[in-house]
Amino acid sequence: MFDIYTIIFLALAVFIFLRLRSVLGQRTGSERPPYDRAAPNVVQRSQDNNVVPMPGAVIDQAPLAPTPDVVPPTDRWKGIAEQGTPLAQGLDAIVAQDSSFDPKHFISGARSAYEMIVLAFANGDRRALKDLLSSEVYDSFDGVIKDREKHEQKTETRFVSIDKAELVGAEARDRAAQLTVRFVSQMISVTRDKTGTIVDGNPDKVADITDVWTFARDTTSRDPNWKLVGTGSAG
Protein backbone atom coordinates (compact mmCIF):
# COMPACT_ATOMS: atom_id res chain seq x y z
CA MET A 1 0.00 0.00 0.00
CA PHE A 2 1.14 3.55 -0.69
CA ASP A 3 1.57 5.81 2.26
CA ILE A 4 0.46 9.39 2.09
CA TYR A 5 3.95 10.72 1.20
CA THR A 6 4.27 8.45 -1.81
CA ILE A 7 0.95 9.63 -3.19
CA ILE A 8 1.93 13.24 -2.71
CA PHE A 9 5.26 12.77 -4.62
CA LEU A 10 3.50 10.99 -7.49
CA ALA A 11 0.92 13.75 -7.80
CA LEU A 12 3.69 16.35 -7.79
CA ALA A 13 5.65 14.54 -10.49
CA VAL A 14 2.58 14.31 -12.75
CA PHE A 15 1.88 18.02 -12.26
CA ILE A 16 5.48 19.02 -13.18
CA PHE A 17 5.44 16.75 -16.31
CA LEU A 18 2.21 18.30 -17.56
CA ARG A 19 3.55 21.82 -17.05
CA LEU A 20 6.79 21.12 -18.93
CA ARG A 21 4.90 19.54 -21.83
CA SER A 22 2.61 22.51 -22.15
CA VAL A 23 5.57 24.92 -22.21
CA LEU A 24 7.77 22.90 -24.62
CA GLY A 25 4.95 22.49 -27.10
CA GLN A 26 4.41 26.27 -27.64
CA ARG A 27 6.09 28.66 -30.20
CA THR A 28 7.17 32.03 -28.93
CA GLY A 29 8.00 33.54 -32.39
CA SER A 30 11.74 33.78 -31.65
CA GLU A 31 12.60 30.28 -32.78
CA ARG A 32 15.06 29.80 -35.75
CA PRO A 33 13.32 28.53 -38.88
CA PRO A 34 13.94 24.93 -39.83
CA TYR A 35 16.72 24.21 -42.38
CA ASP A 36 15.33 24.03 -45.93
CA ARG A 37 17.36 21.84 -48.24
CA ALA A 38 15.55 23.32 -51.25
CA ALA A 39 16.70 26.87 -50.49
CA PRO A 40 19.87 26.80 -52.66
CA ASN A 41 17.80 25.73 -55.67
CA VAL A 42 15.41 28.61 -55.14
CA VAL A 43 18.33 31.07 -55.00
CA GLN A 44 19.81 29.57 -58.15
CA ARG A 45 16.50 29.93 -60.02
CA SER A 46 16.27 33.53 -58.91
CA GLN A 47 19.76 34.22 -60.18
CA ASP A 48 19.03 32.52 -63.51
CA ASN A 49 16.13 34.87 -64.09
CA ASN A 50 18.27 37.97 -63.68
CA VAL A 51 21.90 37.11 -64.50
CA VAL A 52 24.59 39.62 -63.64
CA PRO A 53 27.77 38.34 -65.34
CA MET A 54 30.89 38.68 -63.26
CA PRO A 55 34.43 39.13 -64.59
CA GLY A 56 35.54 35.91 -66.20
CA ALA A 57 32.02 34.51 -66.43
CA VAL A 58 30.87 32.91 -69.66
CA ILE A 59 28.21 34.91 -71.49
CA ASP A 60 25.96 32.95 -73.83
CA GLN A 61 25.43 35.88 -76.21
CA ALA A 62 28.56 36.62 -78.24
CA PRO A 63 29.70 40.24 -78.19
CA LEU A 64 29.65 42.30 -81.38
CA ALA A 65 32.72 41.95 -83.56
CA PRO A 66 35.25 44.71 -82.83
CA THR A 67 35.41 47.53 -85.35
CA PRO A 68 38.89 47.96 -86.81
CA ASP A 69 40.57 51.33 -86.38
CA VAL A 70 41.05 51.79 -90.12
CA VAL A 71 38.59 50.37 -92.64
CA PRO A 72 40.02 50.27 -96.16
CA PRO A 73 37.54 52.27 -98.29
CA THR A 74 36.06 50.47 -101.28
CA ASP A 75 36.48 53.61 -103.39
CA ARG A 76 40.05 54.25 -102.32
CA TRP A 77 41.13 55.28 -105.80
CA LYS A 78 37.86 56.91 -106.84
CA GLY A 79 38.43 59.07 -109.90
CA ILE A 80 41.85 57.49 -110.40
CA ALA A 81 41.34 53.75 -110.92
CA GLU A 82 38.50 51.25 -110.85
CA GLN A 83 38.49 48.87 -107.91
CA GLY A 84 40.06 45.48 -108.68
CA THR A 85 41.85 46.60 -111.84
CA PRO A 86 45.59 46.08 -112.37
CA LEU A 87 46.03 49.85 -111.98
CA ALA A 88 44.30 49.84 -108.58
CA GLN A 89 46.32 46.83 -107.47
CA GLY A 90 49.51 48.57 -108.55
CA LEU A 91 48.57 51.66 -106.55
CA ASP A 92 47.88 49.46 -103.52
CA ALA A 93 51.34 47.95 -103.88
CA ILE A 94 52.98 51.38 -104.06
CA VAL A 95 51.12 52.58 -100.95
CA ALA A 96 52.27 49.44 -99.15
CA GLN A 97 55.85 50.60 -99.76
CA ASP A 98 55.24 54.32 -99.31
CA SER A 99 52.26 55.27 -97.12
CA SER A 100 52.69 58.96 -97.98
CA PHE A 101 51.95 58.39 -101.68
CA ASP A 102 49.04 60.47 -103.01
CA PRO A 103 48.11 59.80 -106.65
CA LYS A 104 46.30 63.12 -107.08
CA HIS A 105 49.33 65.01 -105.82
CA PHE A 106 51.52 62.93 -108.11
CA ILE A 107 49.38 63.68 -111.19
CA SER A 108 49.53 67.40 -110.42
CA GLY A 109 53.31 67.20 -110.19
CA ALA A 110 53.50 65.08 -113.33
CA ARG A 111 51.63 67.72 -115.34
CA SER A 112 54.16 70.34 -114.28
CA ALA A 113 57.08 68.01 -114.99
CA TYR A 114 55.68 67.19 -118.43
CA GLU A 115 55.58 70.83 -119.47
CA MET A 116 59.00 71.58 -117.97
CA ILE A 117 60.63 68.61 -119.72
CA VAL A 118 59.09 69.35 -123.12
CA LEU A 119 60.16 72.99 -122.98
CA ALA A 120 63.62 72.17 -121.60
CA PHE A 121 64.12 69.63 -124.40
CA ALA A 122 63.06 72.16 -127.04
CA ASN A 123 65.43 74.77 -125.60
CA GLY A 124 68.29 72.33 -125.13
CA ASP A 125 68.40 73.03 -121.38
CA ARG A 126 70.51 70.12 -120.22
CA ARG A 127 70.75 71.31 -116.61
CA ALA A 128 66.98 71.23 -116.15
CA LEU A 129 66.71 67.88 -117.91
CA LYS A 130 69.37 66.25 -115.76
CA ASP A 131 67.27 66.77 -112.62
CA LEU A 132 64.10 65.40 -114.18
CA LEU A 133 65.26 62.43 -116.24
CA SER A 134 66.85 59.08 -115.51
CA SER A 135 70.34 58.67 -116.91
CA GLU A 136 69.09 56.50 -119.80
CA VAL A 137 66.37 58.95 -120.88
CA TYR A 138 68.75 61.87 -120.45
CA ASP A 139 71.25 60.23 -122.77
CA SER A 140 68.52 59.79 -125.37
CA PHE A 141 67.35 63.40 -125.13
CA ASP A 142 70.92 64.67 -125.13
CA GLY A 143 71.58 62.75 -128.33
CA VAL A 144 68.76 64.59 -130.11
CA ILE A 145 69.92 67.95 -128.74
CA LYS A 146 73.44 67.28 -129.97
CA ASP A 147 72.11 66.41 -133.43
CA ARG A 148 70.19 69.70 -133.57
CA GLU A 149 73.28 71.59 -132.49
CA LYS A 150 75.34 69.81 -135.10
CA HIS A 151 72.96 70.96 -137.84
CA GLU A 152 72.55 74.37 -136.24
CA GLN A 153 68.85 73.94 -135.76
CA LYS A 154 66.58 75.39 -133.10
CA THR A 155 63.21 74.17 -131.92
CA GLU A 156 60.45 76.44 -130.66
CA THR A 157 57.63 74.85 -128.68
CA ARG A 158 54.63 76.51 -127.06
CA PHE A 159 51.91 74.81 -125.04
CA VAL A 160 48.36 75.74 -125.84
CA SER A 161 46.87 73.42 -123.22
CA ILE A 162 47.28 70.17 -121.35
CA ASP A 163 43.85 68.65 -121.69
CA LYS A 164 44.39 65.44 -119.77
CA ALA A 165 46.87 63.71 -117.51
CA GLU A 166 45.72 60.30 -116.33
CA LEU A 167 47.34 57.29 -114.73
CA VAL A 168 47.31 54.23 -116.95
CA GLY A 169 49.81 52.02 -115.14
CA ALA A 170 51.26 51.45 -111.69
CA GLU A 171 53.79 48.96 -110.42
CA ALA A 172 55.92 48.37 -107.34
CA ARG A 173 58.95 46.16 -107.82
CA ASP A 174 61.58 45.68 -105.14
CA ARG A 175 62.26 49.22 -103.91
CA ALA A 176 61.12 50.95 -107.11
CA ALA A 177 57.68 52.38 -107.80
CA GLN A 178 56.69 53.12 -111.39
CA LEU A 179 53.73 55.13 -112.64
CA THR A 180 52.72 55.55 -116.26
CA VAL A 181 50.80 58.66 -117.29
CA ARG A 182 49.04 59.48 -120.55
CA PHE A 183 49.18 63.15 -121.42
CA VAL A 184 46.87 64.66 -124.00
CA SER A 185 47.93 68.16 -124.95
CA GLN A 186 47.84 70.79 -127.64
CA MET A 187 51.00 72.56 -128.63
CA ILE A 188 52.69 74.44 -131.43
CA SER A 189 56.17 73.30 -132.36
CA VAL A 190 58.51 74.25 -135.15
CA THR A 191 62.18 73.59 -135.92
CA ARG A 192 64.23 76.03 -138.01
CA ASP A 193 67.75 75.92 -139.41
CA LYS A 194 70.31 78.66 -138.98
CA THR A 195 68.73 80.68 -141.80
CA GLY A 196 65.29 80.52 -140.20
CA THR A 197 63.93 78.08 -142.70
CA ILE A 198 61.37 75.70 -141.25
CA VAL A 199 62.64 72.13 -141.37
CA ASP A 200 59.89 70.60 -139.21
CA GLY A 201 56.54 71.60 -137.76
CA ASN A 202 54.21 74.54 -138.43
CA PRO A 203 54.17 77.77 -136.41
CA ASP A 204 50.52 78.35 -137.27
CA LYS A 205 49.15 74.90 -136.55
CA VAL A 206 48.07 73.56 -133.19
CA ALA A 207 48.97 69.89 -132.97
CA ASP A 208 47.17 67.33 -130.82
CA ILE A 209 49.81 65.34 -128.99
CA THR A 210 49.40 62.20 -126.89
CA ASP A 211 52.42 61.13 -124.89
CA VAL A 212 52.73 58.10 -122.60
CA TRP A 213 55.46 58.64 -120.04
CA THR A 214 56.66 56.49 -117.17
CA PHE A 215 58.04 57.97 -113.95
CA ALA A 216 59.86 56.13 -111.19
CA ARG A 217 61.39 56.66 -107.76
CA ASP A 218 63.11 54.66 -105.05
CA THR A 219 60.52 54.38 -102.25
CA THR A 220 63.26 53.93 -99.64
CA SER A 221 64.98 57.16 -100.63
CA ARG A 222 64.45 60.45 -98.80
CA ASP A 223 64.29 62.14 -102.20
CA PRO A 224 60.55 62.55 -102.93
CA ASN A 225 61.08 63.44 -106.60
CA TRP A 226 60.09 61.18 -109.45
CA LYS A 227 62.17 60.92 -112.61
CA LEU A 228 61.14 60.20 -116.17
CA VAL A 229 62.35 56.69 -117.07
CA GLY A 230 60.44 55.97 -120.28
CA THR A 231 58.68 57.83 -123.11
CA GLY A 232 56.25 56.86 -125.82
CA SER A 233 53.54 58.41 -127.94
CA ALA A 234 50.15 57.49 -129.33
CA GLY A 235 47.92 59.07 -131.91
Side-chain angles (χ1 to χ4, degrees):
M1 291 182 65
F2 297 101
D3 57 21
I4 187 64
Y5 294 106
T6 302
I7 293 172
I8 291 173
F9 281 122
L10 287 173
L12 201 59
V14 172
F15 174 77
I16 293 172
F17 172 77
L18 293 174
R19 289 290 295 172
L20 289 173
R21 181 181 179 185
S22 64
V23 172
L24 293 173
Q26 293 180 352
R27 290 181 178 271
T28 64
S30 61
E31 298 85 357
R32 296 179 61 183
Y35 177 74
D36 187 355
R37 295 180 180 274
N41 294 331
V42 174
V43 174
Q44 183 63 46
R45 288 197 298 271
S46 175
Q47 291 177 347
D48 290 342
N49 291 334
N50 188 16
V51 177
V52 180
M54 300 299 290
V58 177
I59 303 175
D60 292 338
Q61 182 179 359
L64 295 176
T67 302
D69 294 335
V70 179
V71 179
T74 56
D75 58 349
R76 184 178 195 177
W77 309 120
K78 186 176 182 180
I80 303 293
E82 293 292 331
Q83 183 183 4
T85 61
L87 176 58
Q89 293 170 359
L91 292 174
D92 287 338
I94 291 175
V95 169
Q97 291 187 358
D98 180 6
S99 60
S100 66
F101 171 71
D102 181 348
K104 292 183 179 180
H105 179 72
F106 168 81
I107 291 174
S108 176
R111 288 174 65 99
S112 298
Y114 175 65
E115 185 172 357
M116 290 175 61
I117 291 171
V118 169
L119 295 179
F121 174 64
N123 296 329
D125 187 348
R126 290 182 172 87
R127 179 175 297 180
L129 292 173
K130 217 168 185 59
D131 294 333
L132 298 169
L133 311 180
S134 68
S135 58
E136 293 82 1
V137 175
Y138 176 81
D139 289 343
S140 176
F141 278 37
D142 184 53
V144 176
I145 294 173
K146 286 179 177 178
D147 187 66
R148 288 203 307 252
E149 292 173 341
K150 177 181 178 181
H151 294 88
E152 300 183 34
Q153 296 174 347
K154 290 186 178 181
T155 298
E156 302 169 0
T157 298
R158 179 168 61 89
F159 272 95
V160 176
S161 65
I162 299 179
D163 301 323
K164 184 180 294 186
E166 60 179 354
L167 284 173
V168 295
E171 181 182 8
R173 182 181 301 175
D174 297 329
R175 300 182 308 171
Q178 289 191 355
L179 291 168
T180 301
V181 185
R182 179 167 57 229
F183 298 98
V184 178
S185 63
Q186 293 184 328
M187 66 180 74
I188 297 172
S189 184
V190 60
T191 300
R192 304 175 188 269
D193 62 17
K194 63 180 180 179
T195 65
T197 302
I198 296 175
V199 295
D200 188 32
N202 187 334
D204 301 318
K205 181 181 179 181
V206 177
D208 295 323
I209 305 296
T210 299
D211 286 312
V212 181
W213 286 10
T214 299
F215 298 85
R217 71 174 291 265
D218 184 344
T219 56
T220 64
S221 172
R222 292 184 178 181
D223 184 358
N225 296 318
W226 296 72
K227 288 192 174 185
L228 179 63
V229 298
T231 62
S233 61

